[in-house]
Amino acid sequence: LSKMGISQQPEDNQQDVPGERHALLEDENKVWHLVRPVDEIDEGKSKRGSVKEKERTKAITEIYLTRLLSVKGTLQQFVDNFFHSVLNSNHVVPPAVKYFFDFLDEQAEKHDIKDEDTIHIWKTNSLPLRFWVNILKNPHFIFDVHVHEVVDASLSVIAQTFMDACTRTEHKLSRDSPSNKLLYAKEISNYKKMVEDYYKGIRQMVPVSDQDMNTHLAEISRAHTDSLNTLVALHQLYQYTNKYYDEV
């Protein structure tokens, strides 16, 4: 961000070439590159934001915004693929999902709950938010990968977009809205429709009977007989029972 002088002299004696220094993100003798060190940010906040402080923050935000948009463009196809693979009722929907969603619909009918928003929230909390967002934010739960803090921050933005898509409330955005919200402002309406269509598609599927569900669970159990250690599971159950013996 600043042109520095290059000299054959030892490093201790290096000087800037006169007129070659441009104070874009400079204050006194401090020079920053895109992100200021944490301690200096905190120090800046404690000054209660002078005009210079606001100008510096604005400059950094504007630099980031261009970068954010280019990275978003690079990742867009992958994000879209994720949404399509997770929210497509035309693909094979696990019987457990259909069975459970039908159970929620039955409970709403049984308790005379007519509000569609309530049923929508039940389904959202049980599958997208409980399951998919958890995996999105913690890929190391299912993959043997190390999640770098930069990757973690990016996945948090995508996870937040996924959560916003699952809500029915309209988010009014302005220039002061967080950049991660503005980033997917154009796509969010499409994603919301995908969630609605997904729930609608599952509702229209052929019901899964108790017998079918039991058969399905038995098949899954057989398929993973060798990959699960029953002694470890029993030991964990024992630890839990031992801890809450009186209550159990």
Side-chain angles (χ1 to χ4, degrees), residues 213-230:
M213 190 63 207
N214 287 331
T215 306
H216 175 67
L217 290 174
E219 284 172 6
I220 290 177
S221 184
R222 274 196 301 275
H224 296 283
T225 302
D226 300 329
S227 55
L228 299 173
N229 190 325
T230 51

